[in-house]
Amino acid sequence: MKKIIALILTTLAIATLFTGCGKKNQTDLEYVKEKGTLIVGITDFEPMDYKKGSEWIGFDADLAKKFGKSLGVKVEFTEINWDNKVMELDGKQIDCVWNGMTLTDEVKNAMSTSEAYCNNSQVIVIKKGAKISDTAKEGDDFKGYKFAVEKGSAGKDMAEKYGYEYTEVDSQAKALMEVNAGTANCAIIDSLMAAAMVGEGTSYSNLKYTVSLNEELYGVGFRKNSDLTAKLNEFFKTAKEDGTMQAIAEQYKVQAALIK
Amino acid sequence: MSFSQQLPIVFEALNVGFLQTLKLFFVTLLGALPLGLLISFGSMSKFKPLSGLIKTVVWIVRGSPLMIQLLIIYYFPGLVFQNNIWGSGENGRFLAAAVSFIINYACYFSEIYRGGIQGVPKGQQEAGQVLGLKKNQIFFKITLLQMIKQIVPPMSNEIITLVKDTSLARIIALQEVIWAGEAFMKGSNGISGQIWPLFFTAVYYLAFNGILTLLFGKLEKKLSYFK
Amino acid sequence: MDNILEVKNIKKSFGKTQVLKDISFSLKKGKALAIIGSSGSGKTTLLRCLNFLEKANEGTISVNGEVIFSGSENQKLSDSEIRKNRLHFGLVFQSFNLFPQYTAKENVMLAEQILAKEQIKKNGEYNGYKTIKEAYEFIDNKAEDLLESVGMKHKKDFVPCELSGGQQQRVAIARALALNPDILCFDEPTSALDPEITGEVLNVIKKLAEKNTTMIIVTHEMGFAKEVADEVMFMDNGKVEEMGTPEEIFSNPKSERLREFLKTVLRI
């Protein structure tokens, strides 16, 4: 009998250990402020979040640090298993996902998402001085033009969608080389890459990028019903107005994808 | 980046990852070896509710995938009770992984121990009793070594499996060696699209398991002087 | 001469089966008692009750006039009391039960070494020896003497699996003698041995009898019982059916059951 009672008591003790200090009626903002840290779930993803020495930098990382400062909390980055991002949020292992996350329906259903801050669209890259309008995107405009696209990429999907004549190459970088060498007239790559590698001050200063063929919007995810989402939208607004966002974007060469 | 430039970067990352693998391995052994013994005593207890409870727990732990146990132990407190007991960051992940592995392996070990203890003839215990030895003296001076001799082969099997199972911990983003190898496929430290680092992690496992196999072989040989 | 052992009204059941039905007997110091009877008659259980491997339900066991077990008083003995009481008896098992990881000599020394260490820690001395080192030296010498007495000194550093069955049983006898029990019990000491090597073990027991060791021997070897025992007890169906000198039991059996038993055994 004594042993049974001991058993029940132990079970209860373990149960209270789990439930003990979960506070109800606390908003996410209050929760983050009380513990003094904003934990940002990321993966290693240049140029958004990546490591320089032991520090996480990148367009997303730097903006997140600024956001943390505006809240008056420390920002901690933790690498997560991307497949588990929703569990990580809901289990309070992290407070937000800020990692060049595409705002798919799936993401929008499972999280409270911020307004999009980047549009990592597929863009057309062409030699400067080409006789093609910067807004042209229909297949007819490009009669006789050869495209280079990365194997199996979103760029290839676009080439098919618009009916371009294309060849598949190993990588986006290879596609640019083809245009530069004249073996292709155009390439389709994503705008983050284009901003970093094409135009003045890059290795392909004789190339330019033109029209966006699709939309791939990046946003930040919070727990459902979090009041941090509104806070971040406010922060984005001021960061756009005072030029902070543009400056950081240029530092990491993602300005082409920035939503103004 | 040329291959020879990649090498030092990849090796450094894999070494850091493998250190995590080793840490998880040794912490699991340190916890699961004694806990398994306690569980095996519990499952052999004459107090039926206790042995019944423990047998049920062992059944659940051995009968469900370790990967699910990792997810449950790491995410459940936060998801269900709104209380993430593991804290944030690497340490919390390691702690949760260690707890999952210790519980899981203790249950496996307990069954091996039980086989080992029950494999020692009852007469050994009785011989100790009639010589006036106490229960704990009988266990440590007589039963233990005979039990160890019996459990070395199944134990070495289980321990080598443990080395490889540590890779499951990357489901909760514990950055062990395979995680480190995979990172170079997506892109990390300026290297992307490289598959060979992932495959190369197998060499780490092979080397370490080779050492373990040698050690267990030595132990088995050392205990072969008696039957 | 006083009785060294007095057993009164021992009863023992396993579940609903009563294995020992009211056993009483006594044994004088320096005498050898042989217990015979068919399998299932309760001989081994009786021996195990004496050695506290089984707990009798009722009855008393006294050694040297001191009650060391009483079932009726429902007394709860502490572990250390059971241990102390236990050491009045030594037991030699049918299947030897030597500790396989230890050499012959270590098997003989183990229990006494543990005892000496404990007592020196607790009382500061064991058998007059103040340090563990001195005590161990004494135990070491004693073990060699014991092995010598059973003719096993030349194999003292062998582990059991390197010894034959008969040799193992001789070491087991030396081990049982190590703690100087008042009464040495044998549970069918030759049943697990090949017939041609039972002799070496029986000879050792015979020598012990000549030195007036108090012994209780459960055995199937009728010839041996006749030769060595001072008294023979015939057990049948959990009871002492008949007890007497070897002549009385073997030459002049009174009860029908004993006559039948002897007829069966001697025919084989």
Side-chain angles (χ1 to χ4, degrees):
Chain A
M1 195 58 204
K2 260 188 201 160
K3 285 182 186 173
I4 296 175
I5 292 169
L7 214 74
I8 293 168
L9 286 179
T10 328
T11 321
L12 283 177
I14 291 169
T16 42
L17 180 74
F18 280 116
T19 51
C21 27
K23 272 189 194 160
K24 300 262 160 68
N25 308 323
Q26 193 184 30
T27 73
D28 238 18
L29 181 60
E30 285 164 357
Y31 165 68
V32 165
K33 280 196 164 166
E34 189 188 291
K35 68 185 168 117
T37 52
L38 177 77
I39 301 160
V40 181
I42 55 168
T43 67
D44 198 336
F45 179 20
E46 211 175 323
M48 308 311 266
D49 294 299
Y50 63 102
K51 242 178 179 167
K52 194 181 168 193
S54 63
E55 200 194 350
W56 288 99
I57 58 166
F59 177 62
D60 280 350
D62 284 12
L63 256 188
K65 285 178 204 165
K66 286 237 151 59
F67 176 55
K69 211 170 184 181
S70 79
L71 296 177
V73 298
K74 250 176 56 197
V75 171
E76 249 180 50
F77 295 95
T78 180
E79 276 190 271
I80 59 166
N81 187 328
W82 193 244
D83 296 336
N84 296 343
K85 52 186 177 294
V86 179
M87 268 200 276
E88 292 272 346
L89 266 185
D90 291 348
K92 296 202 170 177
Q93 263 79 24
I94 58 175
D95 298 315
C96 63
V97 182
W98 197 330
N99 190 228
M101 178 173 65
T102 307
L103 294 170
T104 59
D105 288 346
E106 202 186 327
V107 162
K108 282 192 263 185
N109 281 336
M111 306 177 190
S112 159
T113 53
S114 72
E115 282 161 18
Y117 60 93
C118 263
N119 181 3
N120 187 21
S121 54
Q122 300 293 314
V123 293
I124 294 178
V125 176
I126 195 164
K127 269 199 173 130
K128 277 182 183 166
K131 290 191 194 90
I132 289 273
S133 141
D134 276 2
T135 53
K137 56 175 164 182
E138 296 310 315
D140 293 346
D141 303 336
F142 289 95
K143 239 184 201 129
Y145 279 77
K146 288 208 169 65
F147 280 73
V149 296
E150 189 193 1
K151 254 192 303 199
S153 66
K156 188 206 139 198
D157 296 344
M158 287 305 117
E160 274 180 353
K161 182 179 165 197
Y162 287 97
Y164 306 142
E165 192 188 335
Y166 67 90
T167 14
E168 289 182 85
V169 295
D170 282 347
S171 61
Q172 299 197 73
K174 200 78 171 282
L176 289 178
M177 268 170 55
E178 298 260 332
V179 181
N180 195 32
T183 47
N185 305 102
C186 310
I188 305 174
I189 62 174
D190 67 55
S191 57
L192 285 175
M193 180 95 177
M197 296 189 73
V198 171
E200 294 303 326
T202 68
S203 35
Y204 294 109
S205 54
N206 57 330
L207 305 182
K208 64 175 180 179
Y209 51 89
T210 61
V211 73
S212 292
L213 297 171
N214 70 336
E215 282 202 324
E216 199 180 319
L217 297 174
Y218 284 179
V220 179
F222 294 94
R223 269 179 285 280
K224 272 206 149 318
N225 303 320
S226 173
D227 53 348
L228 282 168
T229 317
K231 263 288 193 249
L232 180 63
N233 287 336
E234 262 172 52
F235 169 77
F236 275 163
K237 208 172 152 223
T238 40
K240 274 177 198 168
E241 280 166 10
D242 66 13
T244 321
M245 207 187 239
Q246 181 69 25
I248 299 175
E250 277 168 19
Q251 189 186 339
Y252 293 102
K253 299 200 168 72
V254 300
Q255 67 277 16
L258 212 58
I259 293 175
K260 301 255 159 51
Chain B
M1 206 186 283
S2 74
F3 185 70
S4 61
Q5 282 172 304
Q6 288 177 5
L7 269 182
I9 299 173
V10 170
F11 275 127
E12 206 204 316
L14 293 188
N15 287 343
V16 170
F18 196 61
L19 222 62
Q20 276 289 48
T21 299
L22 286 182
K23 208 169 118 193
L24 182 57
F25 170 77
F26 283 114
V27 168
T28 303
L29 270 194
L30 225 64
L33 285 173
L35 182 63
L37 195 58
L38 282 183
I39 294 175
S40 76
F41 285 143
S43 72
M44 289 185 289
S45 164
K46 281 184 190 116
F47 181 61
K48 282 278 174 309
L50 180 67
S51 67
L53 179 81
I54 284 179
K55 276 178 186 162
T56 314
V57 171
V58 169
W59 167 66
I60 290 171
V61 172
R62 293 204 314 160
S64 64
L66 176 54
M67 191 186 273
I68 298 292
Q69 291 165 20
L70 279 161
L71 290 176
I72 290 175
I73 286 181
Y74 187 54
Y75 292 117
F76 220 60
L79 284 175
V80 178
F81 304 112
Q82 299 301 313
N83 180 18
N84 169 21
I85 56 173
W86 303 112
S88 60
E90 274 286 277
N91 287 338
R93 290 170 201 277
F94 181 82
L95 200 63
V99 168
S100 316
F101 271 82
I102 287 173
I103 293 174
N104 187 276
Y105 270 84
C107 286
Y108 278 98
F109 289 167
S110 79
E111 287 296 284
I112 296 178
Y113 284 135
R114 196 163 64 96
I117 292 170
Q118 289 174 346
V120 176
K122 196 145 191 290
Q124 289 292 311
Q125 212 175 325
E126 291 182 348
Q129 278 174 7
V130 296
L131 288 169
L133 302 190
K134 293 181 199 155
K135 262 193 181 143
N136 62 331
Q137 292 168 338
I138 292 173
F139 180 74
F140 286 110
K141 295 275 184 187
I142 298 168
T143 320
L144 186 62
L145 193 66
Q146 297 182 47
M147 178 184 119
I148 289 174
K149 182 187 166 75
Q150 293 210 18
I151 65 175
V152 166
M155 226 23 161
S156 64
N157 230 344
E158 209 58 60
I159 287 172
I160 281 169
T161 307
L162 166 63
V163 176
K164 296 176 289 174
D165 269 1
T166 52
S167 63
L168 288 172
R170 74 184 187 287
I171 190 83
I172 58 168
L174 182 82
Q175 292 165 28
E176 43 68 70
V177 67
I178 289 188
W179 173 288
E182 273 178 340
F184 293 108
M185 281 165 65
K186 294 180 306 184
S188 175
N189 292 306
I191 301 172
S192 67
Q194 292 298 321
I195 306 169
W196 71 268
L198 175 61
F199 288 117
F200 193 76
T201 58
V203 175
Y204 283 79
Y205 288 102
L206 275 175
F208 187 59
N209 274 335
I211 295 169
L212 286 181
T213 308
L214 280 177
L215 288 179
F216 280 120
K218 272 202 168 144
L219 182 60
E220 220 169 303
K221 208 167 163 202
K222 213 169 173 189
L223 290 174
S224 67
Y225 76 93
F226 72 88
K227 270 187 205 135
Chain C
M1 204 173 355
D2 282 338
N3 288 333
I4 191 165
L5 174 68
E6 198 107 32
V7 174
K8 277 187 190 145
N9 310 104
I10 289 287
K11 291 179 187 167
K12 172 72 185 168
S13 304
F14 293 112
K16 279 180 186 156
T17 323
Q18 201 175 16
V19 182
L20 297 179
K21 305 168 182 164
D22 204 7
I23 304 274
S24 301
F25 69 92
S26 57
L27 185 63
K28 286 194 164 55
K29 193 171 159 55
K31 298 290 177 195
L33 167 70
I35 303 180
I36 59 170
S38 52
S39 13
S41 59
K43 324 182 285 287
T44 295
T45 307
L46 175 61
L47 214 53
R48 289 172 64 85
C49 282
L50 294 179
N51 283 278
F52 294 87
L53 290 176
E54 305 289 352
K55 195 166 176 284
N57 305 114
E58 279 178 51
T60 58
I61 299 169
S62 317
V63 175
N64 288 327
E66 182 195 353
V67 178
I68 63 165
F69 172 83
S70 169
S72 59
E73 283 170 30
N74 208 5
Q75 72 198 86
K76 281 227 168 105
L77 290 177
S78 70
D79 276 356
S80 61
E81 282 171 310
I82 292 181
R83 271 180 85 201
K84 207 184 114 226
N85 292 341
R86 209 164 224 158
L87 292 181
H88 289 297
F89 295 90
L91 178 61
V92 175
F93 295 87
Q94 181 176 348
S95 48
F96 335 134
N97 294 347
L98 288 180
F99 307 130
Q101 69 266 46
Y102 294 120
T103 63
K105 193 165 125 188
E106 285 166 342
N107 262 280
V108 177
M109 297 190 299
L110 180 73
E112 195 174 6
Q113 283 180 340
I114 292 172
L115 191 71
K117 210 170 173 177
E118 262 183 20
Q119 297 213 344
I120 288 173
K121 245 189 209 159
K122 216 168 102 192
N123 309 330
E125 65 110 33
Y126 174 75
N127 245 352
Y129 298 101
K130 297 267 193 291
T131 67
I132 291 177
K133 198 173 163 249
E134 285 169 350
Y136 273 24
E137 219 178 280
F138 158 76
I139 294 166
D140 195 279
N141 288 331
K142 186 170 146 193
E144 296 212 358
D145 290 346
L146 280 168
L147 284 172
E148 172 101 78
S149 73
V150 296
M152 285 300 295
K153 194 178 168 187
H154 63 300
K155 300 269 186 181
K156 67 183 159 103
D157 295 323
F158 285 56
V159 286
C161 68
E162 298 167 315
L163 302 174
S164 74
Q167 291 173 328
Q168 287 190 51
Q169 193 61 301
R170 278 145 68 195
V171 174
I173 292 171
R175 180 177 72 175
L177 287 166
L179 289 172
N180 313 314
D182 297 312
I183 300 147
L184 186 57
C185 303
F186 294 86
D187 184 12
E188 303 187 20
T190 57
S191 296
L193 297 175
D194 291 334
E196 69 267 24
I197 52 175
T198 54
E200 57 182 271
V201 173
L202 296 180
N203 280 334
V204 168
I205 303 174
K206 238 181 266 176
K207 264 187 6 206
L208 288 173
E210 283 160 16
K211 283 189 275 180
N212 292 328
T213 312
T214 315
M215 296 190 285
I216 299 175
I217 310 159
V218 169
T219 183
H220 284 136
E221 306 263 346
M222 295 308 144
F224 171 71
K226 204 180 205 167
E227 189 182 345
V228 170
D230 301 296
E231 274 195 280
V232 178
M233 179 199 282
F234 171 63
M235 278 184 73
D236 186 64
N237 199 19
K239 282 182 293 203
V240 180
E241 189 72 29
E242 207 170 323
M243 199 163 160
T245 62
E247 289 76 43
E248 288 168 346
I249 295 291
F250 292 109
S251 316
N252 192 13
K254 293 189 189 71
S255 79
E256 184 58 33
R257 303 282 302 150
L258 177 55
R259 274 200 292 273
E260 260 171 51
F261 172 75
L262 289 175
K263 215 157 63 185
T264 328
V265 184
L266 294 177
R267 196 171 54 217
I268 300 165

